[in-house]
Amino acid sequence: MRAGLNPEAMLMAWEAGLGRGPLDRALVLLWAGGYGDTADLALAERDRLLLALRRATFGPLLDCVAACPACGADVEVTLEADMLAGALAAPVPGPLRIGSRAVTLAPLTSRDLAAARGVAPEALPGFLRARLVAESDPLSETEARAIEAEIEARAAATEARCVLSCPDCGADWRESVDIAAHLWAEVEAAALRLLAEVAELARAYGWREADVLALSPARRAAYLRLARGAA
C-alpha cells in the first residue's frame, strides 16, 4: 500500500493548492501523494486514487454532513472509503455501438474538464464529443446526439453517490460525494494545525520548521505539552 501524506507533503499540497480551483486541487493532492501527473486518468480512476490517498493519510472512515433536500436538516453520516471506491463506475469495455456503427469513446479526464472551462453550456456536449470521439468519418445528427447522451451518462456515473435518510423527516435521497473537496478540506485543516504547532515549538525551543516536521506525531505532541506547561 502506498504511504499517505507525511507532514512535509501535507504542507506542500496545501501551499500548492492555495488559490486554485477544485479540479486543480484534486491533481495537486495526488501529485503531493507521489502519483505524478494524473490529468489524463479517467475521472473514476482519479477518484479511486484520491480515496486510497485519503485512507492512507487519515484512515478508512469519512465523516460527512449533508443537507436534507426535503426539510433542510443537517444529516451526519460516516462513509467507508472502500465503499465509495466500489461505487465508482468501472471502465466501459469495448466501443460504443450506435446501430451498426462502432464508435471509440475515450473516458472523460481532468484534462478534458480543464479544456472545457469557459465553454458555453449549450456548446459543451459538442465540445466534449469532439474531444472524446476519434472518428474520421462524419457523424449523422442522430449519431452525434446519441454519443453526447452517452458522454453525459458516463460522466454522471463517475460520481460517487450514497443513499441517505433524514432522521427528522424520514426523506430518502441519493447524495453525491465530492471526494476531492472532502480530502482537500481535511488536508487544509491538518496543514494549518501543523503550521500552528511549528510556530509554537519554534517560539519555545528555537527549532526550524524542518526540525518540527521530522518529529513523529507522538513526540511532537509531547513537546507541545512540555512547552505549554512551561509557559
Side-chain angles (χ1 to χ4, degrees), residues 11 14 24 93 121 124 142 150 178 191 195 199 214 230:
L11 291 179
W14 168 76
D24 292 333
L124 186 58
T142 299
E150 180 66 17
D178 191 331
L195 290 175

Side-chain angles (χ1 to χ4, degrees), residues 79-143:
L79 303 174
E80 294 185 6
D82 288 344
M83 180 274 290
L84 289 173
L88 293 169
V92 179
L96 171 65
R97 302 208 65 88
I98 305 174
S100 60
R101 186 169 185 172
V103 177
T104 300
L105 185 59
L108 194 63
T109 69
S110 298
R111 196 178 301 278
D112 296 320
L113 295 184
R117 289 169 176 159
V119 176
E122 63 273 14
L124 186 58
F127 176 84
L128 292 177
R129 170 171 49 80
R131 285 186 64 89
L132 302 181
V133 176
E135 285 293 310
S136 56
D137 296 333
L139 298 168
S140 69
E141 183 71 16
T142 299
E143 290 170 335

Side-chain angles (χ1 to χ4, degrees), residues 24-64:
D24 292 333
R25 285 176 173 174
L27 301 181
V28 163
L29 289 167
L30 290 174
W31 163 76
Y35 290 94
D37 184 0
T38 54
D40 292 315
L41 286 181
L43 294 179
E45 182 59 26
R46 181 205 68 183
D47 284 355
R48 284 191 187 91
L49 293 183
L50 285 169
L51 284 167
L53 180 61
R54 198 276 172 195
R55 184 170 55 245
T57 304
F58 297 111
L61 302 180
L62 291 75
D63 292 325
C64 305

